[in-house]
């Protein structure tokens, strides 16, 4: 087993990993910027090292500082969490050069999936269904026009190095193509230092459904069902549920097997998420995330597994602790992401939390690093609390979530908690038929009704 784990992250995910370390009896090392000295992850880890000033580019994203922290603390491994350096292949390679274990897949697999064009080609070859589109980079407006014509409008121009929806442009007709093509290239060059773009058919009103997979690096892999992450605002997930209301057990098994076979074939190691758009009963691969996801707890709740501990076990070269035949989905789980943001603009709302009460009781899980007296810094992601419920049925989970939201108190700053009360009682959510554009329309309607 690994001997000492440094967590190259902050907030709730750093705490999540530290908790797993405690349960496995592995000493943990927190790293933090000067803005995070009073953070819960620093308090809960066995040791901590300051790695720089508040700006993430000068602390959490600075590889030499993280390596130095590993050396100071004597850590033999690093858990990257999500975001920051978690999908940076150079980071995994540098750790490897320093004989420090990266708790995640190989740098080769991170690189492969980080380039969306290569990822799509690889997945197509492995029998995973993909969104129809260009077979590679689209270099000129003329070829973009030709491909778009073939696919039929609307189309989406996407950045090969994409992430967070940047470099993505919707094109409704050929008149818009020229401008969108250049805008997408410019935006992706600025965001990713790489202006390669490709074209996809724009699917109308799909769901976002993703499959959790886990590989042991030796050619064995399991699938742990899906998460429906279609409740989105500006392509950012707001609420996730598992299982999805639209999949039959047979459809779940079928897509799960396709995904597990693909990553077994790649000899992929650790946790991964294969993201799909789902439309008219069909799956279309969009990308694979080679890390633990924000929304992993809903899968943990319905399958009764600990994905973070499993990541640590696999990185320690141990066998997977669960086999496909032994894991079964039970009940229904929902997660809502509560952000320090002011409604309706969703503008950042950092500041001092004057009072905090976390909900609890049967089937309620709160993954959060806040406390009364904690000052939410303005420098990072605004996620402050993940409220997760697990019920016997979907309705049971919804009722639990409504009850838990009533118990939650976060005073001193604005949060997005109030939108969930409305989402949970909406007809569309109740039916489970919502798609990726539903929430935006719903929020506008809510605003009008005020
Ligand atoms: P990023 O990595 O930048 O987040 P993704 O490829 O994961 O980009 O897409 C983000 C979101 O954009 C998806 O969840 C979906 O809402 C929307 N999207 C992406 N591709 C398509 C498509 N071909 N058709 C319709 N919507 C899409």
């Amino acid at each position: 087993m690994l001997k000492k784990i440094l967590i190259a992250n902050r907030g709730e995910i750093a705490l999540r990993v530290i908790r797993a370390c405690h349960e496995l009896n592995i000493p943990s090392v927190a790293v933090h910027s000067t803005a995070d000295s009073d953070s819960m992850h620093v308090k809960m880890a066995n040791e901590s090292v300051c790695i720089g000033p508040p700006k993430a580019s000068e602390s959490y994203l600075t590889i030499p500082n993280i390596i130095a922290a590993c050396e100071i603390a004597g850590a033999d491994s690093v858990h990257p969490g999500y975001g920051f350096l978690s999908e940076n292949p150079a980071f995994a390679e540098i750790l490897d050069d320093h004989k420090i274990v990266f708790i995640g897949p190989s740098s080769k697999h991170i690189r492969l999936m980080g380039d969306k064009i290569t990822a799509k080609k690889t997945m197509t070859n492995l029998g995973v269904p993909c969104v129809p589109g260009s077979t590679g980079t689209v270099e000129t407006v003329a070829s973009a026009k030709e491909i778009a014509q073939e696919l039929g409008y609307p189309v989406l121009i996407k950045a090969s190095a994409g992430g967070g929806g940047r470099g993505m442009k919707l094109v409704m007709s050929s008149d818009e193509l020229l401008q969108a093509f250049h805008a997408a290239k410019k935006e992706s060059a600025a965001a990713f230092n790489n202006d390669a773009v490709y074209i996809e058919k724009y699917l109308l009103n799909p769901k976002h459904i993703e499959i959790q997979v886990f590989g042991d690096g030796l050619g064995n892999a399991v699938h742990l069902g899906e998460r429906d992450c279609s409740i989105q605002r500006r392509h950012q997930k707001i609420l996730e549920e598992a299982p999805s209301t639209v999949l039959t057990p047979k459809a779940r098994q079928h897509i799960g097997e396709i995904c597990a076979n693909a990553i077994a074939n790649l000899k992929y190691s650790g946790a991964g998420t294969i993201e799909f758009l789902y439309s008219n009963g069909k799956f279309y691969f969009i990308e694979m995330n080679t890390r633990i996801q924000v929304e992993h707890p809903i899968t943990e709740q319905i399958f009764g597994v600990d994905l973070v501990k499993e990541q640590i076990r696999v990185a320690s070269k141990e066998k997977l602790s669960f086999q496909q035949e032994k894991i079964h989905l039970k009940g229904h789980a929902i997660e809502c992401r509560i952000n320090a943001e002011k409604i309706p603009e969703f503008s950042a709302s950092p500041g001092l939390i004057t009072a905090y009460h976390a909900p609890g009781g049967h089937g309620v899980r709160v993954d959060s690093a806040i406390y009364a007296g904690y000052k939410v810094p303005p420098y990072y992601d605004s996620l402050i609390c993940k409220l997760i419920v697990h019920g016997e049925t979907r309705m049971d989970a919804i009722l639990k979530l409504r009850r838990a939201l009533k118990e939650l108190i976060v005073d001193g700053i604005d949060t997005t908690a109030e939108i969930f009360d409305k989402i949970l009682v909406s007809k569309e959510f109740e039916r489970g038929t919502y798609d990726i554009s539903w929430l935006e329309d719903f929020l506008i309607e809510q605003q009008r009704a005020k």
Side-chain angles (χ1 to χ4, degrees), residues 116 131 156 158 162-166 168 198 200-203 206 208 232 235 275 277 286-287 436:
K116 292 190 176 187
V131 186
L156 205 55
K158 297 172 86 171
R166 280 169 302 177
M168 203 152 82
Y198 62 106
E200 264 178 9
K201 172 93 187 150
Y202 183 72
L203 299 171
H208 173 120
Q232 299 183 355
H235 302 307
E275 294 194 336
L277 293 177
I286 44 173
E287 67 167 342
I436 58 171

Coordinates of all heavy atoms in Angstrom, one line a residue, residues 116 131 156 158 162-166 168 198 200-203 206 208 232 235 275 277 286-287 436, ligand 1:
K116 N -9.3 15.6 -27.8 CA -10.7 15.0 -28.1 C -10.8 14.4 -29.4 O -11.5 13.4 -29.6 CB -11.7 16.1 -27.9 CG -11.9 16.6 -26.5 CD -13.1 17.5 -26.4 CE -13.3 17.9 -25.0 NZ -14.6 18.6 -25.0
V131 N -20.5 10.9 -31.7 CA -21.4 11.9 -32.4 C -20.8 12.0 -33.8 O -19.6 12.1 -34.0 CB -21.2 13.3 -31.7 CG1 -22.2 14.3 -32.4 CG2 -21.5 13.2 -30.2
L156 N -21.7 21.9 -34.4 CA -20.9 22.5 -33.3 C -19.5 22.5 -33.7 O -19.0 21.4 -34.1 CB -21.2 21.7 -32.1 CG -21.1 22.3 -30.7 CD1 -21.9 23.5 -30.5 CD2 -21.4 21.3 -29.6
K158 N -15.9 22.5 -32.2 CA -15.3 22.3 -30.8 C -13.8 22.3 -30.8 O -13.2 21.9 -31.8 CB -15.8 20.9 -30.3 CG -17.3 20.9 -30.1 CD -17.8 19.5 -29.8 CE -17.8 19.2 -28.3 NZ -18.5 17.9 -28.0
G162 N -10.4 21.0 -25.8 CA -11.5 21.7 -25.0 C -11.7 21.2 -23.6 O -11.2 20.2 -23.1
G163 N -12.4 22.0 -22.9 CA -12.8 21.8 -21.5 C -13.6 23.0 -21.1 O -13.4 24.1 -21.5
G164 N -14.6 22.7 -20.2 CA -15.4 23.8 -19.6 C -16.2 24.6 -20.7 O -16.5 25.7 -20.5
G165 N -16.4 24.0 -21.8 CA -17.2 24.6 -22.9 C -16.5 25.7 -23.7 O -17.1 26.3 -24.5
R166 N -15.2 25.9 -23.4 CA -14.5 26.9 -24.1 C -14.1 26.5 -25.5 O -13.8 25.3 -25.7 CB -13.3 27.4 -23.3 CG -13.7 28.3 -22.2 CD -12.5 28.6 -21.3 NE -12.1 27.3 -20.7 CZ -11.1 27.2 -19.9 NH1 -10.4 28.2 -19.5 NH2 -10.7 26.0 -19.4
M168 N -16.1 26.4 -28.0 CA -17.2 25.7 -28.6 C -18.2 26.7 -29.2 O -18.6 27.6 -28.5 CB -17.9 24.9 -27.4 CG -18.7 23.7 -27.9 SD -18.8 22.5 -26.6 CE -20.1 23.1 -25.6
Y198 N -12.6 20.8 -34.3 CA -13.2 19.8 -35.1 C -14.7 20.1 -35.2 O -15.2 21.0 -34.5 CB -13.0 18.4 -34.6 CG -13.4 18.1 -33.2 CD1 -14.6 17.3 -32.9 CD2 -12.8 18.6 -32.1 CE1 -15.0 17.0 -31.7 CE2 -13.2 18.4 -30.8 CZ -14.3 17.6 -30.6 OH -14.7 17.3 -29.3
E200 N -18.8 18.7 -35.1 CA -19.8 17.7 -34.7 C -21.2 18.1 -35.1 O -21.5 19.3 -35.1 CB -19.8 17.5 -33.2 CG -18.9 16.4 -32.7 CD -18.9 16.2 -31.2 OE1 -19.7 16.8 -30.5 OE2 -18.1 15.4 -30.7
K201 N -22.0 17.1 -35.4 CA -23.4 17.3 -35.6 C -23.9 17.9 -34.2 O -23.6 17.3 -33.2 CB -24.1 16.0 -35.9 CG -25.6 16.1 -36.0 CD -26.1 16.4 -37.4 CE -27.6 16.6 -37.3 NZ -28.0 17.6 -38.4
Y202 N -24.7 18.9 -34.2 CA -25.3 19.4 -33.0 C -26.6 18.6 -32.7 O -27.5 18.7 -33.5 CB -25.6 20.9 -33.1 CG -26.1 21.5 -31.8 CD1 -25.3 21.7 -30.7 CD2 -27.5 21.9 -31.7 CE1 -25.8 22.3 -29.6 CE2 -28.0 22.4 -30.5 CZ -27.1 22.6 -29.5 OH -27.6 23.1 -28.3
L203 N -26.6 17.9 -31.6 CA -27.7 17.1 -31.3 C -28.8 17.9 -30.6 O -28.5 18.7 -29.7 CB -27.3 15.9 -30.4 CG -26.3 14.9 -31.1 CD1 -25.8 13.9 -30.0 CD2 -26.9 14.2 -32.2
P206 N -30.5 16.6 -26.4 CA -30.1 15.3 -25.8 C -30.0 15.4 -24.3 O -30.1 16.5 -23.7 CB -28.7 15.2 -26.4 CG -28.2 16.6 -26.5 CD -29.4 17.5 -26.8
H208 N -27.4 14.4 -21.1 CA -26.0 14.1 -20.9 C -26.0 12.9 -19.9 O -26.4 13.0 -18.8 CB -25.3 15.3 -20.2 CG -23.9 15.1 -19.8 ND1 -22.8 15.7 -20.3 CD2 -23.4 14.2 -18.9 CE1 -21.7 15.3 -19.7 NE2 -22.0 14.4 -18.9
Q232 N -28.1 21.3 -16.5 CA -26.9 22.1 -16.7 C -27.2 23.6 -16.9 O -28.3 23.9 -17.4 CB -26.1 21.7 -17.9 CG -25.6 20.2 -17.9 CD -24.8 19.9 -19.1 OE1 -24.7 20.6 -20.0 NE2 -24.3 18.7 -19.1
H235 N -23.5 24.8 -19.8 CA -22.7 23.6 -20.0 C -22.1 23.1 -18.7 O -21.2 22.2 -18.7 CB -21.7 23.7 -21.1 CG -22.3 24.0 -22.4 ND1 -23.3 23.2 -23.0 CD2 -22.0 24.9 -23.3 CE1 -23.6 23.8 -24.1 NE2 -22.9 24.8 -24.4
E275 N -18.3 10.1 -21.2 CA -19.4 11.0 -21.3 C -20.1 10.8 -22.6 O -19.4 10.8 -23.7 CB -19.0 12.4 -21.1 CG -18.5 12.7 -19.7 CD -18.4 14.2 -19.4 OE1 -18.3 15.0 -20.4 OE2 -18.4 14.6 -18.2
L277 N -23.7 12.0 -25.1 CA -25.0 12.6 -25.2 C -26.0 11.5 -25.6 O -25.6 10.5 -26.3 CB -25.0 13.7 -26.3 CG -24.1 14.9 -26.0 CD1 -24.0 15.8 -27.1 CD2 -24.6 15.6 -24.7
I286 N -18.9 11.8 -26.2 CA -18.3 13.1 -26.5 C -16.9 13.2 -25.9 O -16.0 13.8 -26.5 CB -19.2 14.3 -26.0 CG1 -19.8 14.1 -24.6 CG2 -20.2 14.7 -27.0 CD1 -20.6 15.3 -24.1
E287 N -16.7 12.7 -24.7 CA -15.3 12.7 -24.2 C -15.2 11.8 -23.0 O -16.2 11.3 -22.4 CB -14.9 14.2 -23.7 CG -15.7 14.7 -22.5 CD -15.1 16.0 -22.0 OE1 -13.9 16.3 -22.2 OE2 -15.8 16.7 -21.2
I436 N -30.5 18.6 -21.8 CA -29.5 19.6 -21.3 C -29.8 21.1 -21.5 O -29.2 21.9 -20.9 CB -28.1 19.3 -22.1 CG1 -28.3 19.4 -23.6 CG2 -27.5 18.0 -21.7 CD1 -27.0 19.4 -24.3
Ligands
LIG1 P1 -16.2 20.5 -22.5 O1 -15.1 19.5 -22.4 O2 -15.7 21.8 -23.1 O3 -17.1 20.6 -21.3 P2 -18.0 18.6 -23.9 O4 -17.7 18.0 -25.1 O5 -17.9 17.8 -22.6 O6 -17.1 20.0 -23.7 O7 -19.4 19.3 -23.9 C1 -20.0 20.0 -22.9 C2 -21.5 20.2 -23.1 O8 -21.8 20.8 -24.3 C3 -22.2 18.8 -23.1 O9 -22.5 18.4 -21.8 C4 -23.4 19.2 -23.9 O10 -24.3 20.0 -23.0 C5 -22.9 20.2 -24.9 N1 -22.5 19.5 -26.2 C6 -21.3 19.0 -26.5 N2 -21.3 18.4 -27.7 C7 -22.6 18.5 -28.2 C8 -23.2 18.1 -29.4 N3 -22.6 17.5 -30.4 N4 -24.5 18.4 -29.6 C9 -25.2 19.1 -28.6 N5 -24.7 19.5 -27.4 C10 -23.4 19.2 -27.2

